[in-house]
């Protein structure tokens, strides 16, 4: 018995092979039975002919239902009607388990029903495709970093302090040590790592107790934080661009089937693999106002502003040099204007929003302390972070990529909840 995966059928034409999987669909007409088998790697039409199987096996196969699990043996051949694809001429079928009536059918289901059945919904073709793109994006990011001298440096999830402000922290009791918090970003720890390893990254789940019920917010999401010693603001943006363009090329090269299933505009992705635009925050506000937005100079960009800003731009846009009041305490002030910081947000085209937040970090001990005091931060929790500015401080920069935001853009998925196996949002923790 030669066991193969659906993805490999082309290499076994004319040979007897065995495949294992689930029934995507089944129909019969007279002495013919058509089973669409899926096995995780792809789908294959299996054609059973009653005289070949014998009456008993054929009748048993007819009892297979949608999502039943099975083992099929047969001979792969070119598909009778669809050139370039294959089908299996079945010799035998064995069911493993006959599935009960499957709750996800062909009719339209609302998002709430689908999310409550997320454990089953992930089998649907579009969800399968998005999850495979997620896998590709994840490893493309790691590949690029590994090939560009970044060392993986895992940051803790249980932390004694906030990285991105205290308003979105998930809190828990930590034995006799008082409160601990779920990490919002590993950045502050990565800053320690560069002083040992030069360039580092982490990649894992982070948490934000964010009351935002939008298509771009999860309470648990995956972030890749990268940090590099001796890299300043402009070079950091170049690193981000190189990384993202590598991801685009890798997704295009490896996920053609998935992008087709999702009806993703591949030409738009190809067009995004070109030099990114850079605008200062001030220029962005002026531009938005010229387009009719009522946004003011000291403000953060809303979702509608991000759409307006990137309209007609095939490439993502960096918004840099933000007013210091609306950015995190650790960002380095702009030497040309102390009211601004050397931070940047990377905004994806087509309304997919901010995919990266990054900055050069304040490396001067006293300036950093001044910012922390101004923000009334509990200084005793951050002594270790301030220490980095006492023992061989260097200019350095870093950034955090939101994996689900990037996957949403690559796959053309409207809502971020479909880009992670089990989304966590303010109103959803099940399943
Ligand atoms: O811009 P953010 O908050 O930056 C940081 O956390 C920095 N400490 C990162 C660093 O410099 N190492 O978050 C980074 C990215 C955002 O650009 C966005 O893509 C994503 O994380 N993100 C979210 N994704 C899903 N749901 C949320 N609630 C998110 N909040 C941020
Ligand atoms: Mg941000």
């Amino acid at each position: 018995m030669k066991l193969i995966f659906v993805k490999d059928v082309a290499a076994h034409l004319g040979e007897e092979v065995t495949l294992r999987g689930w029934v995507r669909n089944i129909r019969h007409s007279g002495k013919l039975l058509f089973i669409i088998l899926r096995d995780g790697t792809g789908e294959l039409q299996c054609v059973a002919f009653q005289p070949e199987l014998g009456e008993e096996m054929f009748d048993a196969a007819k009892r297979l239902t949608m999502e039943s699990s099975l083992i099929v043996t047969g001979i792969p051949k070119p598909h009778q009607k669809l050139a370039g694809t294959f089908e299996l001429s079945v010799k035998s079928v064995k069911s493993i388990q006959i599935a009960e009536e499957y709750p996800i059918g062909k009719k339209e289901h609302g998002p709430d029903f689908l999310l409550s059945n997320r454990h089953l919904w992930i089998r649907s073709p579009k969800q399968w495709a998005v999850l495979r793109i997620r896998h590709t994006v994840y490893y493309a990011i790691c590949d690029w970093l590994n090939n560009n001298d970044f060392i993986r440096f895992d940051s803790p999830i249980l932390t004694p302090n906030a990285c991105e402000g205290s308003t979105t922290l998930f809190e828990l009791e930590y034995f006799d040590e008082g409160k601990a918090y779920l990490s919002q970003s590993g950045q502050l720890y990565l800053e320690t790592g560069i002083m040992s390893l030069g360039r580092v990254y982490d990649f894992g789940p982070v948490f934000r107790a964010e009351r935002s019920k939008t298509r771009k917010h999860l309470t648990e999401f995956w972030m890749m934080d990268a940090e590099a010693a001796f890299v300043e603001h402009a070079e950091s943006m170049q690193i981000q661009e190189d990384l993202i363009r590598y991801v685009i090329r890798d997704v295009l090269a490896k996920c053609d089937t998935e992008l087709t299933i999702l009806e993703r505009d591949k030409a738009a992705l190809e067009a995004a693999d070109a030099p990114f635009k850079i605008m200062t925050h001030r220029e962005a506000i002026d531009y938005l106002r010229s387009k009719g937005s009522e946004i003011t100079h000291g403000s953060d960009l809303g979702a509608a502003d991000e759409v307006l800003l990137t309209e007609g731009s095939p490439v993502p846009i960096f918004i840099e040099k933000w007013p210091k009041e609306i950015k995190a305490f650790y960002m380095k002030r702009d030497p040309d204007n102390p009211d601004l910081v050397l931070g940047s947000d990377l905004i994806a085209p087509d309304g997919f929003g901010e995919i990266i937040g990054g900055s050069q970090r304040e490396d001067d001990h006293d300036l950093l302390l001044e910012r922390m005091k101004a923000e009334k931060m509990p200084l005793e929790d951050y002594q270790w972070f301030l220490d980095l500015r006492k023992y061989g401080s260097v200019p350095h920069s870093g950034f955090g990529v939101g994996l689900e935001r990037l996957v949403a853009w690559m796959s053309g998925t409207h809502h971020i909840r479909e880009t992670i196996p089990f989304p966590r949002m303010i109103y959803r923790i099940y399943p």
Side-chain angles (χ1 to χ4, degrees):
M1 182 167 80
K2 184 158 192 107
L3 280 172
I4 66 161
F5 289 122
V6 169
K7 71 175 173 63
D8 299 322
V9 282
H12 297 278
L13 296 185
E15 283 173 45
E16 186 171 300
V17 295
T18 298
L19 296 111
R20 297 171 295 185
W22 298 265
V23 176
R24 159 85 66 220
N25 225 325
I26 181 160
R27 70 188 163 85
H28 57 93
S29 82
K31 292 189 184 317
L32 283 172
L33 185 64
F34 299 90
I35 301 170
I36 307 291
L37 169 100
R38 57 169 194 86
D39 75 342
T41 71
E43 290 184 6
L44 181 67
Q45 166 156 284
C46 304
V47 186
F49 185 42
Q50 197 219 37
E52 276 279 316
L53 270 68
E55 204 164 315
E56 199 182 329
M57 190 186 282
F58 190 80
D59 287 346
K62 266 172 39 181
R63 286 193 290 275
L64 286 166
T65 54
M66 193 173 159
E67 290 305 321
S68 292
S69 43
L70 74 165
I71 303 176
V72 187
T73 297
I75 298 175
K77 302 182 170 163
H79 193 287
Q80 305 244 343
K81 289 177 189 143
L82 295 169
T85 67
F86 307 95
E87 62 182 17
L88 192 79
S89 176
V90 176
K91 296 207 137 177
S92 73
V93 181
K94 188 168 175 286
S95 74
I96 303 173
Q97 192 253 335
I98 301 288
E100 292 178 26
E101 194 183 342
Y102 197 60
I104 302 181
K106 287 217 173 75
K107 75 173 173 86
E108 284 282 313
H109 296 289
D112 222 51
F113 174 85
L114 290 170
L115 285 166
S116 293
N117 285 285
R118 182 66 177 163
H119 53 297
L120 303 176
W121 187 25
I122 51 174
R123 303 180 189 193
S124 302
K126 287 196 172 172
Q127 302 307 311
W128 173 88
V130 176
L131 293 175
R132 285 172 64 98
I133 290 174
R134 178 185 172 99
H135 168 87
T136 301
V137 170
Y138 177 91
Y139 282 102
I141 293 173
C142 296
D143 282 348
W144 191 89
L145 292 162
N146 294 343
N147 291 332
N148 284 276
D149 306 311
F150 284 81
I151 301 291
R152 184 155 182 140
F153 179 82
D154 298 313
S155 57
I157 285 176
L158 290 171
T159 60
N161 47 252
C163 177
E164 294 298 313
S166 55
T167 55
T168 62
L169 281 176
F170 278 111
E171 241 180 52
L172 52 107
E173 293 302 329
Y174 196 77
F175 306 106
D176 299 330
E177 299 293 311
K179 297 232 180 299
Y181 308 96
L182 297 182
S183 177
Q184 299 163 307
S185 157
Q187 178 200 324
L188 306 188
Y189 290 96
L190 290 193
E191 289 188 51
T192 72
I194 58 165
M195 308 292 182
S196 166
L197 299 161
R199 293 181 173 205
V200 294
Y201 72 97
D202 67 11
F203 209 152
V206 293
F207 305 85
R208 306 262 169 117
E210 220 152 7
R211 294 218 157 256
S212 325
K213 197 178 173 240
T214 79
R215 68 180 180 104
K216 298 198 190 86
H217 288 91
L218 296 169
T219 56
E220 172 177 339
F221 62 98
W222 278 58
M223 194 184 307
M224 189 288 292
D225 295 283
E227 198 72 26
F230 303 105
V231 166
E232 304 208 24
H233 173 62
E235 191 187 350
S236 174
M237 289 195 293
Q238 189 59 53
I239 290 173
Q240 294 169 49
E241 176 181 319
D242 292 348
L243 167 66
I244 297 299
R245 289 178 61 182
Y246 178 84
V247 172
I248 296 172
R249 290 194 292 274
D250 214 42
V251 168
L252 282 166
K254 293 179 180 160
C255 299
D256 193 61
T257 304
E258 292 83 351
L259 295 169
T260 304
I261 290 173
L262 294 164
E263 298 172 57
R264 177 69 171 101
D265 179 352
K266 291 172 211 167
L269 276 185
E270 273 157 23
D273 179 21
F276 294 177
K277 288 184 198 157
I278 303 175
M279 275 173 135
T280 64
H281 177 264
R282 171 162 285 276
E283 286 164 351
I285 301 291
D286 288 341
Y287 175 79
L288 287 168
R289 291 184 65 85
S290 79
K291 291 274 170 185
S293 168
E294 299 196 333
I295 192 165
T296 54
H297 275 290
S299 319
D300 203 352
L301 306 185
D305 300 310
E306 291 175 348
V307 172
L308 194 56
L309 196 68
T310 53
E311 219 164 57
S313 175
V315 294
I317 303 179
F318 282 108
I319 310 297
E320 61 159 3
K321 302 195 176 176
W322 290 69
K324 70 173 190 300
E325 293 75 23
I326 56 173
K327 283 294 181 195
F329 74 96
Y330 50 70
M331 293 193 183
K332 188 176 178 65
R333 54 168 90 170
D334 181 356
D336 300 330
N337 182 346
D339 294 333
L340 304 180
V341 288
L342 296 177
S344 57
D345 282 2
L346 184 64
I347 315 294
D350 303 321
F352 288 99
E354 181 197 323
I355 50 174
I356 304 185
S359 70
Q360 184 164 344
R361 319 305 192 187
E362 184 53 73
D363 50 71
D364 181 273
H365 179 275
D366 295 347
L367 289 176
L368 182 61
L369 186 63
E370 195 183 292
R371 273 300 294 281
M372 293 172 77
K373 282 184 178 159
E375 304 215 357
K376 302 195 170 52
M377 293 171 62
L379 298 178
E380 62 286 2
D381 291 338
Y382 292 88
Q383 287 309 312
W384 61 275
F385 188 63
L386 284 161
D387 268 356
L388 302 176
R389 279 71 182 165
K390 291 187 200 161
Y391 305 107
S393 191
V394 292
H396 64 286
S397 303
F399 57 93
V401 178
L403 177 62
E404 291 76 16
R405 298 260 183 104
L406 183 54
V407 172
W409 174 39
M410 290 296 107
S411 61
T413 303
H414 178 77
H415 200 300
I416 196 170
R417 65 191 168 207
E418 292 179 38
T419 63
I420 185 165
F422 292 96
R424 298 291 176 241
M425 297 170 287
I426 27 176
Y427 299 115
R428 179 159 296 277
I429 190 89
Y430 176 93

